[in-house]
Amino acid sequence: LVYNSLSRRLSFSNITALAPMVRVGTLPMRLLALDYGADVVYCEELIDIKMAQCQRVENEVLQTVDFVAPDDRVMFRTCERERDRVVFQMGTADPDRALTVAKLVEKDVAAVDVNMGCPKEYSTKGGMGAALLSDPDKIEAILRKLVAGVSVPVTCKIRILPSLEETISLVQRIQKTGVTAVAVHGRFKEERPRHPVHCDYIQAVAQAVSIPIIANGGSLDLVKTNTDIEEFRKATGASSVMLARAAMWNPSVFSSQGLLPVETVMEEYLKYAIRYDNNAFNTKYCLCQMLRDKVESPLGKQVQAAQTNAEISEAYGLQEFYQQTQDQLQARRDALQSDSQPDRPVMDGDVTTMAVKFERREYPPQITPKMFLLEWSRKEKLEQPLYETVQRSQDRSFQSTVTVAEKKYRSTLWEKSKKFAEQAAAIVCLRVLGIPEGRIGEEDSGLVCKRKRQGRTNGAVDEERCKKRHVADIQQETETSETLVVANGDHHKPDTPPAEQP
């Protein structure tokens, strides 16, 4: 159905596809659509200028390929499961830049598509999207450049023009560039989803060209169930059908077994979002689209109030699945890091580094390496240790650098929390300097209150003295934590969790 067996190129004949949708067509939704029966899935429109700055990164923890921007944002994430089915859609108005982006992603996608139908200002203001419809010369230049420059099929998605003749003429000209297929949204540039789709335009276009035409725009009143897909295809005379809102509301519309309850679908979506560490605000957005008129229900309000995927999982009773997944990812992360990192000090510029993780169970309940480092600094009459912590957005892990006596120390391993990252940095410093760190079974160094180390008290006076010193140590630790620097350049106060990226 999907592949030409001779060339192994993605075929667009007689398929159903998940349409490109901003904020919806991220990896979890694409995988879910494939599970339910979609043949092809399009990613959300991604702008060429931003994508051209990305680095391709193989994420061994998530087992994905990530295209990461200079600010560490993951612009596009994909995986082996969809590699032969995913179409990368870009927003572009420049042939050379379009080719740069297409060549960047071509080994990880099944086809490349150019958005020529989006009427929204963020797309048209740069001459992209529907703005291209009034510049057929540029359309031709972009498509010819791509067809000649990449090994995967090239397609485009358009809206219909004011007259049928203009629309047919444009699609015939597009066909001559060598594209594999054209998706036609059967609405004019100024029309919105509430307007009826013009099936007659799509039908006339399909009859006027030999390449597959993919009909789009039937979600308002023509496609509500899987059986409606074939009716829409017949009504338009198109080779294939592309679904946007009908799939956004309930991607099980692709299933020949019929629609599933949206509650079931949302849970399956959330599992993918957790498994692939999807941005929490993106997860919320997609779930709210599925909730539709129930978005103000108790569940909807709980989803809207959630700030993390962990909190969203609580709303759906998936806490156990979330924790199991986090444990699996952390185990994979630990295994990868321990295999690749040396267990000895290595200089990274002016920073002394070691592959160290903070394991809480290795220390008494009220003892931490940070506390030992602070006490040692006091004893040596040095300035208190200073911590600077960064967070990378691709997996939201933390790494901290501590400065002691004008020298810097850092663990090469990333931690799951800011506090653990600072403890790991303290451990590196202590080990390099040969100072006790407070681990269970370690000989008492006298750096930290003995009563606190033993976890018991034998007198009210000693107990109160130890308690006061412990509180002072904790306050001192907090004061030594510098501003958290997130990878995208945002700054947050030490005890304020960073806002997730939109």
Side-chain angles (χ1 to χ4, degrees):
L1 175 64
V2 177
Y3 275 92
N4 178 315
S5 60
L6 295 177
S7 63
R8 297 297 296 169
R9 286 167 66 87
L10 184 64
S11 168
F12 289 86
S13 297
N14 194 29
I15 62 157
T16 57
L18 175 71
M21 290 179 280
V22 173
R23 294 190 298 276
V24 175
T26 47
L27 183 57
M29 182 64 80
R30 299 197 304 266
L31 294 177
L32 195 59
L34 289 175
D35 286 350
Y36 288 134
D39 299 305
V40 175
V41 290
Y42 285 65
C43 74
E44 61 179 334
E45 177 193 22
L46 293 164
I47 306 303
D48 59 355
I49 295 176
K50 294 181 179 178
M51 282 299 301
Q53 300 172 1
C54 288
Q55 292 289 324
R56 180 185 183 276
V57 177
E58 293 187 15
N59 188 325
E60 293 181 293
V61 175
L62 296 178
Q63 297 176 329
T64 58
V65 174
D66 298 343
F67 292 85
V68 184
D71 63 5
D72 227 24
R73 287 182 62 192
V74 177
M75 301 302 299
F76 176 55
R77 171 168 285 162
T78 185
C79 66
E80 184 65 24
R81 163 84 171 87
E82 68 166 4
R83 187 173 66 85
D84 294 336
R85 305 288 192 91
V86 64
V87 179
F88 179 89
Q89 190 192 64
M90 75 173 82
T92 186
D94 182 90
D96 292 329
R97 201 157 52 227
L99 181 59
T100 297
V101 174
K103 292 185 77 66
L104 176 67
V105 303
E106 70 172 318
K107 293 181 180 179
D108 300 295
V109 300
V112 172
D113 181 86
V114 178
N115 183 338
M116 300 180 182
C118 181
K120 298 296 180 63
E121 184 184 356
Y122 67 80
S123 188
T124 58
K125 69 181 179 182
M128 301 177 291
L132 284 171
L133 296 175
S134 58
D135 194 347
D137 289 342
K138 184 172 285 185
I139 287 177
E140 185 174 341
I142 292 171
L143 294 178
R144 286 192 182 279
K145 192 88 170 183
L146 289 173
V147 170
V150 296
S151 60
V152 295
V154 175
T155 63
C156 66
K157 183 171 184 285
I158 69 166
R159 283 191 171 228
I160 57 176
L161 297 177
S163 75
L164 184 56
E165 292 72 21
E166 288 177 278
T167 306
I168 291 175
S169 176
L170 176 62
V171 177
Q172 287 176 333
R173 188 170 177 180
I174 288 172
Q175 177 178 242
K176 291 178 182 177
T177 66
V179 298
T180 304
V182 177
V184 179
H185 185 156
R187 291 187 177 87
F188 302 120
K189 184 167 63 173
E190 65 276 5
E191 289 185 322
R192 294 297 177 264
R194 64 180 180 276
H195 296 105
V197 63
H198 300 273
C199 291
D200 55 333
Y201 271 65
I202 302 176
Q203 187 175 50
V205 168
Q207 292 172 350
V209 295
S210 58
I211 58 175
I213 295 299
I214 308 168
N216 176 233
S219 293
L220 177 65
D221 46 19
L222 297 182
V223 180
K224 293 183 173 65
T225 66
N226 184 262
T227 54
D228 295 334
I229 296 175
E230 179 60 20
E231 294 303 312
F232 182 51
R233 190 187 70 78
K234 289 178 179 178
T236 58
S239 172
S240 300
V241 170
M242 172 184 283
L243 297 180
R245 286 165 302 134
M248 174 181 73
W249 295 327
N250 190 332
S252 70
V253 70
F254 289 111
S255 174
S256 60
Q257 306 300 311
L259 283 173
L260 292 172
V262 72
E263 293 77 15
T264 301
V265 175
M266 287 190 291
E267 286 190 15
E268 293 305 309
Y269 169 84
L270 183 52
K271 287 179 180 179
Y272 272 133
I274 293 168
R275 164 67 182 83
Y276 288 102
D277 194 26
N278 197 50
N279 180 284
F281 287 100
N282 180 251
T283 302
K284 282 172 58 174
Y285 180 84
C286 291
L287 289 171
C288 286
Q289 303 313 304
M290 291 187 233
L291 282 165
R292 299 185 72 185
D293 56 355
K294 296 179 182 177
V295 75
E296 294 302 322
S297 66
L299 173 61
K301 289 180 179 179
Q302 193 174 353
V303 171
Q304 292 183 72
Q307 297 296 305
T308 63
N309 281 332
E311 292 176 0
I312 299 172
S313 69
E314 289 180 22
Y316 288 87
L318 291 176
Q319 302 98 312
E320 185 176 349
F321 176 85
Y322 176 85
Q323 192 54 55
Q324 288 176 348
T325 303
Q326 296 308 304
D327 291 345
Q328 291 169 1
L329 294 177
Q330 188 60 47
R332 194 177 298 158
R333 190 178 292 116
D334 292 346
L336 288 167
Q337 290 182 333
S338 62
D339 288 345
S340 61
Q341 302 287 350
D343 190 23
R344 55 184 175 79
V346 174
M347 293 304 298
D348 181 4
D350 63 342
V351 183
T352 303
T353 69
M354 286 181 68
V356 169
K357 287 192 75 65
F358 173 62
E359 299 289 353
R360 191 68 190 87
R361 64 180 179 274
E362 294 181 359
Y363 299 85
Q366 301 194 8
I367 297 295
T368 67
K370 281 184 69 177
M371 195 178 297
F372 265 67
L373 184 56
L374 178 61
E375 292 291 348
W376 180 81
S377 300
R378 286 171 174 165
K379 182 180 177 183
E380 297 296 317
K381 294 182 171 52
L382 299 171
E383 289 188 14
Q384 62 190 37
L386 197 60
Y387 297 85
E388 183 176 4
T389 304
V390 297
Q391 182 185 26
R392 61 184 182 192
S393 61
Q394 62 196 72
D395 62 359
R396 294 194 273 284
S397 294
F398 296 82
Q399 188 178 61
S400 185
T401 301
V402 63
T403 302
V404 176
E406 299 183 353
K407 292 186 178 180
K408 297 178 180 180
Y409 306 87
R410 179 176 64 227
S411 173
T412 55
L413 307 186
W414 292 73
E415 293 279 5
K416 61 184 178 182
S417 73
K418 176 176 175 286
K419 290 182 179 179
F420 275 39
E422 291 177 349
Q423 298 291 357
I427 293 171
V428 173
C429 179
L430 291 165
R431 291 186 184 176
V432 170
L433 297 177
I435 303 166
E437 60 192 73
R439 295 170 73 175
I440 294 172
E442 197 176 77
E443 186 177 343
D444 182 17
S445 64
L447 279 175
V448 176
C449 176
K450 184 177 181 181
R451 307 254 179 228
K452 189 177 358 178
R453 167 180 278 280
Q454 293 175 337
R456 64 178 185 271
T457 56
N458 294 321
V461 175
D462 285 343
E463 180 178 3
E464 187 63 26
R465 185 185 301 120
C466 197
K467 187 183 297 182
K468 286 180 179 178
R469 186 61 179 272
H470 180 52
V471 170
D473 288 348
I474 291 175
Q475 287 178 331
Q476 197 83 26
E477 279 193 27
T478 303
E479 290 166 3
T480 60
S481 297
E482 275 214 332
T483 301
L484 171 66
V485 182
V486 184
N488 67 1
D490 295 336
H491 288 69
H492 304 273
K493 294 180 180 179
D495 296 321
T496 304
E500 297 201 36
Q501 296 167 11

